Each structure stands twice: as C-alpha cells, then as structure tokens.
Amino acid sequence: MQDTLHGICRSCAAMCPIVIDREDGVPTRIIGDKHNPVYWGYTCIKGREMVNQVRHPDRLFSSIRREKDGSFTSISSAQAMDEVAQKLKRIIDEHGPRAVATYAGTYIFTYPATQPVSTAWMNAIGSNMMFTSNTIDQPGKSIAPALHGTWQAGPQVFDDADTWLLVGVNPIVAHSGGVPNQNPAKRLKDAVERGMKVIVIDPRRTECAERAFVHLQPKPGEDGAILAGMIRVILKEQLFDADFVRANVQGVDALAQAVEPYTPDYVAARAQIPADDLVLAARTYAQAERGGATAGTGPNMAPHGNLTEYLLLCLMSICGRWLKAGERVPNPGVLGPSFAPRAQANAPWPAWGYGEKLRVRGFTDAACGLATSALPDEILMPGDGQVKALISIGGNPLMAWPDQNKTLKALKALDLFVCLDIQKVHNSCHLADYTIACKHSLESPAMTLPNEMLSYFGTGFGFSVPYAQYAPPAAALPEGADVVEEWEFFYGIAKRMQIALEIKVAYSWTTTSGEPRRYRFDMENKPDTDELFEALCDGGRVPLATVKSEPQGRVFEGEDVFVDGPEPGREARLQVGDATMCAELAAIAGEREDKDAGFPFRLISRRLHHVMNTTGRNNPRQMRKQRYNPAYMNPGDLVALGLKDGDEVRIASRYGEIPGIVEAEEGIRSGVISMSHCFGPDPENPGPVREFGSNVALLSSVEHEVDPYSGIPRMSAIPVRVLMA
Ligand code: SF4
C-alpha cells in the first residue's frame, strides 16, 4: 500500500519538516514540504537520504554483544538490558557510582526524551559523571553567558535586523545558527535583498561570506583580537548605545582598558586583515538600528573560544542588541511555557569551580558541563573514582573525541562499554561490549520542542516565530525487529536495578524562578514516548494535542506578548568587564610572535554539506563525489608546494600527523588548510586515506593548549606543516 505523511527530519538541529512517501509503511522518498510557512520546502541531502538509512545493510535490528574472542552475537534487547544492568550493579557495588559515566553525542539533541531520562537514571544511581559533545564543540556558548549574564527578553532577531555578524560560522552548510536554521540560504538572500549588512569573519570565502557587506578574512585563531579591535573602535568613536549601557551594563571601563592595545593597526598586523575593513566592520555593526552576532564551532574549537563568545556578548550589549520594553516578543513559546519577559538583566553566575571535581588537570563542573577531553584519563587513571563503565548515547567517541590514540586506549580499558546506536558501522561500536539497537528517528515520534529551546543556546538559534510540529512514527519496522528508543534502554536498566526514575523539567528561561516540575515514572507500567512528550510539554503555551492536530506544522500565533519594563529596584547588570576575560585579552596581546615557528599553516575545521559528523559515510549516494575529507587549500599554496588536486601529503602538528588528499579551493586564504572532523579509518584497522579520509583529532593533544575550564583542546586553528607523502 502506498501513502504519504508528514514528518520531521532529525538528522540535524534544523529539524526540517518533510513529506514522506511510503510503500507498505517503508519510506521510499523524502522531500521538503513546500507548503510549510517557515521552511518553504527546504531539505538537504542528509535528510532526503534517510530513506536509504532505515533499511541500510549496516542497520541494526537486534542488539549485539561482543564476545571475548572479538566476535559478535545477536541478542535480544531484554537480554542485553539484563546483562548490562547486572554488570553495572557489580561495578557500582565494587567501585561506587562515580565509576559509571555517560557520553551524549550530537544526536541526543533531537530526541526530546533521551536526555531527561538518561539524566534521571544517572541521578538515580548517584553519578555526576555525565559528559557531552558540548565541551568538544561549542563550550564558549555556555561559559560566556555565565560570565556576562543574560538578558531576560532575549536578543533582537535576524528577521528584522539591519546587520548580523557571523564569526567562523557558515549556516548555509552547517545549520548551526546565526542565520536561523529554517532554510538559511533563502533567509540570508532575503535579508540581504531587504538591506541587511552582513559582516563575516572567516578565513574562507564561504557561501555566507559571498553575501557579506564586509568580509574579514583573517589568519585563523585571531577572532578574539578582531572583536577586541571592533569594540575599541565602537568605544573610542562613541558609537555604542549610551542609554542602554547606562541603565543595564557594568564593567565598561575595564573593557575599554582591556581592548586598548587592540588598535586597528595592531589587529590588522596580527590578523593579517586591512585595518580599514576592521573599522568599517565596527562602524557598520554599531551604526545599524538592529542586529545580532553569532560564532560557530570553529572559533569555539580554536584557542580562546570562551573569549570570542564573551566578546560577542559584550559587543551586543554595548550596542544594545537586546529586546527593549514595549517590543513585541517574536516567539512567546509554543510547546514550552508561555514567555512574558521583562527588559532586564539576569546577573552573571559561576561559570566553573563547583560540582563534580575531576581527578585530572583540575577540572570541575562548569556551565558547559564536565570536560569530555578529560574522560579518557578518568578511565585510564587508577585509583578511587576511576571510570569503569561508559554508556555512549548517539555519539561516536572514537571518531569525535580529540586525541584518538588516547581515546582508543581508554575505550579498550573499560570494564563495560555500551553504545546506543542505529547501525553497526560506527567505529566505536566495534569496541563496545554491547551495542543496543535503537530505533531510527523515523521509527519514533518527534516534536520540535528541542529547537524551540535552542533559542536559549545562542543568538540566532531556534525559531523566531511561534512555530511547532509533532510527527508520529513514520517508518514501519521489519518483521522480528527488536529495537528500542534510547530512553527505553535507561528505563529498562533502571527497572532491572530496582531504582526509580524522576525527570526534573526545567527550561533555561524559567530556572531563575521556582522549582523545576517533576515527573515520576511508573516503574511497573512503562509509559510510551507520547506520554513523556506530554510531561515535557506540560505547561506549554499551546497544548501538545493542538500541535498534534496540525501534522504539517504551523505558526501558532496567539495574543501578542510584549516585553515588560524591569522590576522596580532591579540591580542586576550585564557584565562586560569580567576579570578573567580581560586578563586573557592582556595575555593574547603579550603573546610571542614566533610561537608557532616551524608550522606555517593553520588547519581549521569545517562542515560538509553531505554528512553529519560520522553519519552518512556508509551511504554511497552521499559520498558519491569522494569518500574522504579533502584537505582544502588555497590554489596558490598548492602551486608553491608543487602540488595539484588529488595529491597525497602528510599534515603534521606538534602532537600528531595524518595523511591528507589536497584539493584547491578558491576563496580559502593562503596559509590555511580546511578539513572536516570525524573522518578516518578505524585506528585498529587502518585503511587507505582515499577510502576513509583522515581523523584530524590525531592532531590535537588533550594535555597541551587546553582551555582550563571546558577542557576543549586546540581543535581548530591548529599550527601545522605540510610534508610530502
Ligand atoms: S538541514 Fe538537512 S539534515 Fe538538517 S534537518 Fe534539514 S533536511 Fe535534515
């Protein structure tokens, strides 16, 4: 039987609405929904190719156990949960709950029930050892607001902005905020056509940079210096929003002092950009009526990522880029609680130095979470608190974590390693004692609450209109399939360990007032995913049932909500002169010029349109152009090195060396190599670079050049040299 239904793509955080054609319940074609009022039919190849993912030969339809001889045995999910629960109980009895850790990869985000239930399970066993991809991706996005404070009414939005600053982010390909994730190419084109002046700071002339009014194309790793230079121009020329600053901002004198060395000529010399362009960027940003600023993964992976994110917030605050009293709230919430904010600051809060203390390198819990880069050492280092068991949820640690050699050693040293995944191709699964076969996103219900909450992760994220969608399961399972949703695994092992689960529902914009709501699981009668969704959306502005009645997704306008004035006597201010960040600015200005001598290139990260981290690499249709991650370089650099497209080289950093296949890219600045993360062969089964690509995590060290708070190592703007293969 053939039919068609609406769904939600969950292959990335954009959560595009899709139309799914099916034959006997099996998806045969996925396209965008051209009638959708927010996405206008947008999809990308990753979403459309899900039809080849649900029944891919690598797909797991039953869980697997790795035997002592390295072979794999298919077992039922019930047996897998029996055995895992028993082993976890023994580990906790012998070593305490801290011996159990979880790692949540990128894919946890679009599954609304997984994070709350896995967290509830960790809380129930008494372990704080929860690690996520946030600390190896964009930790500055969580650290910076803690140091700066937040604006309760939120930022001005892209839709009516006159300028937007994009730092090392290319949302047209990455769907990573800045330009909203809903059809970013059209949104940017429309915005430029109505007069928006886009400012891009990026060593590559990206798709977004093509539309920029000013494109600063610096030497990688200089984002902090450039932003300091822009702030200096704005302060010196008194282009800031004096009224907003007077009422809501503190620390301006300290900021002015910290950016004083960053004159246009100094910044131009160190970042290798024209000084006039820096001044033009600063004036353009400050003189526009409305605007915003967003940094991407690259600047967060580069040195001083916290500082980059912090200076972006400072720039927004001195220019008053926050919603003012009397303005209409663009998105007052749909599945989340109604949002009626005041035009007032939430004061800064501790960014680190509390909670769980790691045994390595002095890390503590932090606004961004525990340092994932320290987890391999927590596994390898003997003694009290040693991590013995790891559960990986929607991630691929062996390919994604920095310092792949140490990661490999650590994963092999575990007493118990469990991967929750949809397919067995992922390299980490080869090392896992158990791989729990999980449902594909099309086989379980979906809703857009995560994307709604993303608004609070960073400026230019989430929905800027009250849009929401719910989608029921859209793909039938084959006869005999034994797959679970990730949250069901945690429920299953909790039941076997005879522990009760409780979810605490706390949205970031409500945490400053009141207790989180609690949802206690019935441990005798398992709820279904819809029941959990109801619990997570309880108190939402629009009932989930109403959203369900509009399967194609809709903008749920209601009565207009306006930003209220500040509470009388409100004293909290946005802090732009944080002492740690000002000290970091001073340290950068004092850096030795020759510190990277011998490494004439800098390797930066990038997204590829056709794959999402390691997902999609086993689909020939997605990899039809090439199976590896090219080392993109400036054509002039290739000529100077006597290289041509397709040549193999070795790329060496201070800490490691990888092979690379070079490819010329017009628009990449000289001295830069740009490669995508999460490629490369299984390190225990090396394969040709032209087949598997290279793992750039081998170029990073988790012990050197590491951020002291998030633990993120230098994973972009890495000083490297090119050697002939
Ligand atoms: S951008 Fe692509 S992968 Fe992301 S949700 Fe949309 S279709 Fe899916």
mmCIF file of all heavy atoms in Angstrom, residues 9 11-12 14-16 42-44 46-47 175, ligand 1:
data_model
loop_
_atom_site.group_PDB
_atom_site.id
_atom_site.type_symbol
_atom_site.label_atom_id
_atom_site.label_comp_id
_atom_site.label_asym_id
_atom_site.label_seq_id
_atom_site.Cartn_x
_atom_site.Cartn_y
_atom_site.Cartn_z
ATOM 1 N N CYS A 9 12.561 15.807 10.011
ATOM 2 C CA CYS A 9 13.916 15.271 9.900
ATOM 3 C C CYS A 9 14.661 15.580 11.189
ATOM 4 O O CYS A 9 14.641 16.713 11.667
ATOM 5 C CB CYS A 9 14.654 15.891 8.717
ATOM 6 S SG CYS A 9 16.367 15.326 8.621
ATOM 7 N N SER A 11 17.999 14.619 11.473
ATOM 8 C CA SER A 11 19.408 14.353 11.196
ATOM 9 C C SER A 11 20.309 15.505 11.604
ATOM 10 O O SER A 11 21.525 15.379 11.605
ATOM 11 C CB SER A 11 19.599 14.047 9.707
ATOM 12 O OG SER A 11 18.983 12.820 9.408
ATOM 13 N N CYS A 12 19.721 16.664 11.884
ATOM 14 C CA CYS A 12 20.496 17.745 12.487
ATOM 15 C C CYS A 12 19.531 18.656 13.233
ATOM 16 O O CYS A 12 18.319 18.448 13.213
ATOM 17 C CB CYS A 12 21.348 18.501 11.458
ATOM 18 S SG CYS A 12 20.507 19.850 10.613
ATOM 19 N N ALA A 14 18.338 21.416 12.638
ATOM 20 C CA ALA A 14 17.380 22.239 11.893
ATOM 21 C C ALA A 14 15.966 21.675 12.000
ATOM 22 O O ALA A 14 14.986 22.415 11.926
ATOM 23 C CB ALA A 14 17.801 22.348 10.432
ATOM 24 N N MET A 15 15.815 20.374 12.140
ATOM 25 C CA MET A 15 14.514 19.700 12.299
ATOM 26 C C MET A 15 13.521 20.118 11.213
ATOM 27 O O MET A 15 12.406 20.578 11.488
ATOM 28 C CB MET A 15 13.954 19.931 13.707
ATOM 29 C CG MET A 15 14.887 19.385 14.776
ATOM 30 S SD MET A 15 14.228 19.421 16.447
ATOM 31 C CE MET A 15 13.219 17.958 16.458
ATOM 32 N N CYS A 16 13.940 19.946 9.966
ATOM 33 C CA CYS A 16 13.106 20.363 8.832
ATOM 34 C C CYS A 16 11.846 19.509 8.717
ATOM 35 O O CYS A 16 11.892 18.288 8.899
ATOM 36 C CB CYS A 16 13.884 20.215 7.526
ATOM 37 S SG CYS A 16 15.334 21.251 7.420
ATOM 38 N N TYR A 42 12.410 23.503 2.319
ATOM 39 C CA TYR A 42 13.843 23.241 2.414
ATOM 40 C C TYR A 42 14.150 21.858 2.998
ATOM 41 O O TYR A 42 13.547 21.437 3.979
ATOM 42 C CB TYR A 42 14.505 24.301 3.296
ATOM 43 C CG TYR A 42 16.001 24.089 3.434
ATOM 44 C CD1 TYR A 42 16.855 24.435 2.404
ATOM 45 C CD2 TYR A 42 16.528 23.488 4.573
ATOM 46 C CE1 TYR A 42 18.208 24.216 2.505
ATOM 47 C CE2 TYR A 42 17.887 23.268 4.683
ATOM 48 C CZ TYR A 42 18.731 23.627 3.644
ATOM 49 O OH TYR A 42 20.070 23.401 3.742
ATOM 50 N N THR A 43 15.081 21.167 2.383
ATOM 51 C CA THR A 43 15.747 19.993 2.991
ATOM 52 C C THR A 43 17.157 19.963 2.439
ATOM 53 O O THR A 43 17.496 20.718 1.526
ATOM 54 C CB THR A 43 15.099 18.647 2.587
ATOM 55 O OG1 THR A 43 15.063 18.572 1.163
ATOM 56 C CG2 THR A 43 13.732 18.446 3.192
ATOM 57 N N CYS A 44 17.967 19.054 2.972
ATOM 58 C CA CYS A 44 19.293 18.830 2.378
ATOM 59 C C CYS A 44 19.442 17.339 2.098
ATOM 60 O O CYS A 44 18.594 16.535 2.503
ATOM 61 C CB CYS A 44 20.402 19.340 3.300
ATOM 62 S SG CYS A 44 20.721 18.258 4.698
ATOM 63 N N LYS A 46 21.162 15.098 3.424
ATOM 64 C CA LYS A 46 21.216 14.213 4.598
ATOM 65 C C LYS A 46 19.801 13.796 5.010
ATOM 66 O O LYS A 46 19.569 12.658 5.390
ATOM 67 C CB LYS A 46 21.916 14.916 5.770
ATOM 68 C CG LYS A 46 23.336 15.365 5.448
ATOM 69 C CD LYS A 46 24.035 15.950 6.643
ATOM 70 C CE LYS A 46 23.515 17.304 7.062
ATOM 71 N NZ LYS A 46 23.788 18.397 6.125
ATOM 72 N N GLY A 47 18.887 14.718 4.935
ATOM 73 C CA GLY A 47 17.511 14.396 5.290
ATOM 74 C C GLY A 47 16.846 13.523 4.232
ATOM 75 O O GLY A 47 16.199 12.527 4.546
ATOM 76 N N HIS A 175 24.033 24.638 9.246
ATOM 77 C CA HIS A 175 22.774 24.729 10.007
ATOM 78 C C HIS A 175 23.086 24.887 11.482
ATOM 79 O O HIS A 175 22.604 24.131 12.337
ATOM 80 C CB HIS A 175 21.905 23.485 9.768
ATOM 81 C CG HIS A 175 21.673 23.227 8.316
ATOM 82 N ND1 HIS A 175 22.354 22.278 7.598
ATOM 83 C CD2 HIS A 175 20.855 23.841 7.430
ATOM 84 C CE1 HIS A 175 21.960 22.301 6.341
ATOM 85 N NE2 HIS A 175 21.052 23.242 6.210
HETATM 86 S S1 SF4 B 1 19.112 20.552 7.241
HETATM 87 FE FE1 SF4 B 1 19.137 18.527 6.298
HETATM 88 S S2 SF4 B 1 19.780 17.117 7.930
HETATM 89 FE FE2 SF4 B 1 19.182 19.040 8.903
HETATM 90 S S3 SF4 B 1 17.060 18.707 9.469
HETATM 91 FE FE3 SF4 B 1 17.053 19.713 7.454
HETATM 92 S S4 SF4 B 1 16.974 18.032 5.967
HETATM 93 FE FE4 SF4 B 1 17.537 17.177 7.939
#
